[in-house]
Amino acid sequence: MGQTLLQIEDLHTQFFTSRGVVRAVDGVSLHIDAGETLGVVGESGCGKTITALSVLRLVPEPGKITSGRILFRGRDVTKMEDEEIRDFRGSDVAMIFQDPMTSLNPVTKVGFQIEEAMTAHNRFSASLAKTRVVELLKRVRVPAAETRVKDYPHQFSGGMRQRAMIAMGLANEPSLLIADEPTTALDVTVQAQIIQLMKQLNRELGTAMMLITHNMALVASLCQRVVVMYAGRIVEEGPVEQIFRSPQHPYTWSLLRSVPRVDEARKDRLVSIRGLPPDLTNPPPGCKFHPRCPFVVDRCRVEEPSLGEVALNQVARCWVLMRNVKEEDVAAAKASALSIEAAQKLKADAEAAAAEVDSVAGS
Amino acid sequence: MTADPILLRVAGAFKHFPISGFGGGAVRAVDGVDLEIRRGETLGLVGESGCGKSTLARLITALLPATAGKIVFDGQDITRLKGWRLRRVRRKMQMIFQDPFASLDPRMTVGDILQEPLDNFAIGSMRDRRRRVQELLRLVGLNPNFTNRYPHEFSGGQRQRIGIARALAVNPSFIVCDEAVSALDVSIQAQIINLLQDLQKEFQLTYLFIAHDLAVVRHLSDRIAVMYLGKVVETAGRNDIYERPQHPYTKALLSSIPVPDPAVERERAPISLKGEIPSPVNPPSGCRFHPRCPIARVPGICSEQEPPLEPHGARDQVAACHFAGQA
């Protein structure tokens, strides 16, 4: 692998709200090598977006990076002066967002917005920037780029807007592109086009990518390494093949089995994770996942595990680990969702309770 | 009881929305759809945004009047029904919506939300209704003592359960799920999918399941219909359509969904479609898919003649393509 581009060390980002302190990112350490594609997966509220925004120091109020280091090529982002951070954003690390409509300025031409991204950094002269805009739009495969530069965002379709956002992200040749749910708002055929494009750009330009998503399939198709986050913490990390073949953390395991696959006929019920993600102002003691974990043991409730090596290059934060779970327990977990019998029992209970109420009311 | 195995039949349905202002014209959202839904099955309806799947759902549930065509539900033509006759049909068909935040009135308690359909149709005494509300809450896996709470006190997944309970309140035989799990996080999505399956078995429900996520649709459906630009282009059993798609659009749609398995992903080569879905105001001539189709003969039959839905491939499989199965 190449040299380390980004190194996040024990990052804590917290939001100081009237309800209390939300520990959105709670001790995250990760790294991205030059040219590498890293997937960061987890459900909404697990801290994946806030981790990315912390890297660019764009955490919205009332959030703050409270401790930790973010080293980009050895420079600590958290200690940069305002001038320095402005130069760093866009030219070293660029970010593209989920909704391309809200991230483009609706009253300015698309071409000018991309141009502005370049002239703001003084990397290209005004005239060079103009010709480069067309080049960039061609590179992201916007048809008729010469005329489309004069269009406004509303004249672009959703897929085209996302292409324009990617072009803008690439304008200053950053070495890392952070993509936050870049295809979630797009239709599947357009999503496939954007994935193809991102793969190509990674190959041709050597731009490292950090893909933030809840879609495991997207990670499988685009990334080399994956980080799984839960409740502000990394619970598992490793090479994509390994994580998908033998996930060791029960959360990763459940995530992979809770989505149906398009290439498989229906076999089992989906594994559903019971309950809800924890309230981050008041997370549970012990392992953050224990109230929802089907394989919980006593130790999980009191003591939080640390990230331990479970295989070559693979770490997981769990006392149990999937390889130690008995087969019958796995089968039980698969059937744990409200089954037909359970539904019928609930119905019978409801009727019995109602009859009881009646008899009390009648007497 | 009727023995007709077909619960709902859509015949030549059109829905055009006229465009006001100069130029005129119309958005041809649904442009000649024939469809059958069998008793007790789940029919999956897939397609990209703007293909007309939600409009079709609104025609089927008689929430929108069709411009032309017929919709027959349980042996009765419901296209021109009004007043109490329409209400009587509506009691048999209910809908679950995509956004559990927008589809529940924030100022009503959960108890009131669930009791409203019972009040509307004057089902049972007041005491029966209250009991029924508690039973519904239990049925969808919520605490029956939550009747006095408001929607904002619930999470997205719990709200979707309330939406499902509301749909079940009047004992319908047919439920339209319009992107009912799309807005939910994956682990919650699995809970709701399992719940929908359990309820179907328990109450012999027929579902029309509309979604853009083809993996979820395959998991839930018995048969699947694919829509493109206001028309159904292919219908088949759930495994046939995935294993032997006959229409090039179905093929492209399937190949563009990534699979959560890196080993499989490395071997797959998605069929990349040119461009994006054209405007339904002025759909392409001939086969609507021809400008994006990898096997279209243009100029030729594809740009000149509209292909009809005809049997191709497996039993029970129909596709609208001049060169079905040849991609």
Side-chain angles (χ1 to χ4, degrees):
Chain A
M1 269 293 144
Q3 77 204 96
T4 305
L5 195 61
L6 178 78
Q7 175 101 38
I8 300 177
E9 291 172 359
D10 198 25
L11 177 71
H12 291 259
T13 303
Q14 302 178 345
F15 286 76
F16 298 89
T17 69
S18 53
R19 283 179 52 240
V21 179
V22 179
R23 300 161 179 277
V25 179
D26 204 20
V28 163
S29 302
L30 60 83
H31 70 97
I32 300 176
D33 289 340
E36 192 187 25
T37 47
L38 175 77
V40 179
V41 293
E43 296 177 273
S44 23
C46 72
K48 53 195 195 300
T49 297
I50 300 301
T51 304
L53 291 175
S54 301
V55 171
L56 286 164
R57 285 221 344 236
L58 286 174
V59 181
E61 288 290 329
K64 259 178 75 181
I65 299 174
T66 50
S67 66
R69 297 204 302 168
I70 300 169
L71 300 170
F72 185 85
R73 290 221 172 90
R75 287 191 301 158
D76 191 345
V77 178
T78 61
K79 299 217 163 58
M80 282 183 184
E81 299 292 324
D82 287 356
E83 188 84 1
E84 239 180 313
I85 192 88
R86 267 203 296 277
D87 189 51
F88 165 78
R89 287 178 196 145
S91 61
D92 289 316
V93 179
M95 184 156 175
I96 53 175
F97 299 91
Q98 171 170 353
D99 186 351
M101 193 64 218
T102 50
S103 16
L104 286 167
N105 182 346
V107 296
T108 319
K109 288 173 183 166
V110 173
F112 178 75
Q113 294 186 49
I114 301 173
E115 210 179 297
E116 199 181 22
M118 284 184 273
T119 46
H121 285 285
N122 297 320
R123 290 265 289 267
F124 303 91
S125 68
S127 60
L128 187 62
K130 264 204 171 52
T131 52
R132 219 176 114 73
V133 169
V134 178
E135 260 171 57
L136 282 164
L137 285 178
K138 280 186 181 157
R139 164 141 254 154
V140 295
R141 302 186 178 63
V142 171
E146 288 87 350
T147 54
R148 294 310 288 267
V149 292
K150 296 192 199 81
D151 281 356
Y152 288 92
H154 76 268
Q155 293 168 296
F156 274 44
S157 66
M160 286 301 157
R161 281 184 214 135
Q162 199 55 290
R163 284 167 199 268
M165 282 305 298
I166 296 176
M168 197 184 296
L170 295 172
N172 291 296
E173 297 166 340
S175 26
L176 174 64
L177 185 66
I178 301 177
D180 188 1
E181 302 275 10
T183 64
T184 310
L186 305 175
D187 271 315
V188 277
T189 56
V190 181
Q191 169 178 307
Q193 293 168 352
I194 298 288
I195 297 172
Q196 271 319 96
L197 175 67
M198 290 177 66
K199 270 188 196 168
Q200 245 157 14
L201 293 172
N202 172 252
R203 227 177 13 237
E204 288 166 13
L205 306 176
T207 314
M209 281 189 201
M210 180 167 162
L211 174 73
I212 298 169
T213 182
H214 67 279
N215 187 339
M216 296 300 262
L218 210 57
V219 171
S221 106
L222 203 59
C223 300
Q224 295 156 345
R225 211 151 50 81
V226 58
V227 164
V228 183
M229 283 186 74
Y230 185 79
R233 294 179 179 260
I234 291 176
V235 294
E236 187 153 15
E237 181 191 338
V240 162
E241 279 85 357
Q242 248 165 273
I243 296 282
F244 278 74
R245 196 172 354 100
S246 72
Q248 290 304 315
H249 197 284
Y251 180 64
T252 317
W253 178 86
S254 318
L255 262 192
L256 284 168
R257 269 151 201 78
S258 63
V259 284
R261 287 175 58 151
V262 75
D263 62 336
E264 266 179 15
R266 174 163 68 195
K267 286 189 303 212
D268 304 328
R269 292 170 67 76
L270 297 174
V271 171
S272 67
I273 307 175
R274 64 185 170 198
L276 303 168
D279 177 358
L280 293 182
T281 56
N282 186 19
C287 171
K288 302 273 174 286
F289 187 57
H290 90 255
R292 306 179 74 193
C293 183
F295 312 115
V296 62
V297 296
D298 286 341
R299 193 177 185 187
C300 307
R301 297 192 177 92
V302 286
E303 199 180 341
E304 183 166 22
S306 53
L307 273 176
E309 187 148 25
V310 293
L312 185 65
N313 298 324
Q314 185 178 353
V315 291
R317 188 189 292 279
C318 182
W319 293 123
V320 180
L321 299 178
M322 288 310 294
R323 61 175 173 232
N324 302 324
V325 175
K326 281 192 247 109
E327 221 152 279
E328 60 258 36
D329 290 344
V330 172
K334 281 183 182 167
S336 72
L338 185 68
S339 66
I340 302 145
E341 298 81 71
Q344 275 160 352
K345 190 172 174 299
L346 278 174
K347 199 183 163 206
D349 287 352
E351 274 159 12
E356 202 173 303
V357 171
D358 283 355
S359 67
V360 171
S363 64
Chain B
M1 262 324 275
T2 44
D4 190 359
I6 309 292
L7 178 67
L8 185 116
R9 190 176 273 123
V10 180
F14 287 81
K15 181 66 195 178
H16 291 183
F17 295 101
I19 301 168
S20 57
F22 50 71
V27 176
R28 303 158 73 153
V30 173
D31 213 16
V33 165
D34 299 294
L35 202 65
E36 281 175 351
I37 303 176
R38 297 169 193 164
R39 242 172 250 281
E41 79 169 350
T42 300
L43 180 76
L45 184 61
V46 298
E48 296 176 274
S49 34
C51 73
K53 49 191 197 300
S54 289
T55 306
L56 181 62
R58 278 160 181 75
L59 294 185
I60 286 173
T61 45
L63 291 172
L64 277 177
T67 311
K70 238 167 66 162
I71 290 145
V72 179
F73 178 76
D74 214 357
Q76 188 183 10
D77 184 351
I78 62 165
T79 336
R80 302 275 169 264
L81 283 189
K82 287 204 170 63
W84 66 273
R85 283 174 215 275
L86 180 59
R87 281 167 55 82
R88 203 172 54 185
V89 172
R90 284 226 174 107
R91 195 180 146 173
K92 293 275 137 207
M93 42 166 72
Q94 290 288 309
M95 202 155 174
I96 302 168
F97 299 92
Q98 166 168 12
D99 188 348
F101 292 81
S103 53
L104 301 177
D105 187 335
R107 297 195 293 181
M108 284 169 80
T109 63
V110 169
D112 291 342
I113 289 172
L114 295 182
Q115 201 178 317
E116 197 177 32
L118 300 171
D119 293 343
N120 279 344
F121 290 105
I123 296 171
S125 66
M126 280 314 273
R127 192 208 265 165
D128 289 339
R129 289 178 205 171
R130 255 177 245 127
R131 197 195 301 153
R132 174 78 179 147
V133 165
Q134 301 213 329
E135 185 194 318
L136 286 166
L137 282 172
R138 268 180 215 255
L139 210 53
V140 296
L142 290 174
N143 186 332
N145 299 323
F146 283 176
T147 46
N148 288 324
R149 298 203 181 183
Y150 288 90
H152 75 264
E153 296 174 70
F154 293 92
S155 68
Q158 287 172 327
R159 282 182 218 208
Q160 201 57 302
R161 286 173 192 269
I162 297 168
I164 294 171
R166 180 177 59 184
L168 289 172
V170 294
N171 265 325
S173 52
F174 176 57
I175 296 184
V176 176
C177 311
D178 190 359
E179 301 276 10
V181 300
S182 313
L184 306 173
D185 257 321
V186 279
S187 70
I188 310 298
Q189 189 178 330
Q191 294 175 0
I192 300 295
I193 290 171
N194 289 342
L195 175 66
L196 286 172
Q197 285 181 322
D198 291 340
L199 293 170
Q200 179 170 39
K201 280 206 194 109
E202 169 118 19
F203 300 108
Q204 290 91 43
L205 295 168
T206 305
Y207 287 145
L208 174 64
F209 190 84
I210 303 175
H212 64 274
D213 185 333
L214 281 93
V216 171
V217 170
R218 179 174 195 185
H219 183 81
L220 264 170
S221 310
D222 301 301
R223 286 191 311 133
I224 291 164
V226 182
M227 268 186 96
Y228 185 76
L229 215 56
K231 293 202 100 123
V232 171
V233 295
E234 183 161 6
T235 307
R238 67 153 181 270
N239 290 337
D240 293 327
I241 211 161
Y242 285 90
E243 281 151 25
R244 285 175 295 277
Q246 297 296 310
H247 197 285
Y249 178 64
T250 313
K251 232 170 248 186
L253 205 56
L254 289 171
S255 83
S256 55
I257 306 153
V259 173
D261 184 340
V264 176
E265 268 302 314
R266 240 180 286 112
E267 305 302 319
R268 273 163 52 107
I271 303 166
S272 203
L273 286 180
K274 295 168 266 182
E276 286 168 42
I277 195 161
S279 156
V281 176
N282 191 12
S285 63
C287 170
R288 276 145 206 251
F289 185 56
H290 87 257
R292 300 177 74 192
C293 181
I295 60 163
R297 308 238 171 117
V298 180
I301 187 167
C302 295
S303 59
E304 285 155 15
Q305 264 183 45
E306 184 147 15
L309 263 181
E310 280 171 347
H312 287 286
R315 200 173 65 86
D316 224 14
Q317 185 165 15
V318 289
C321 177
H322 295 298
F323 302 100
Q326 290 179 29

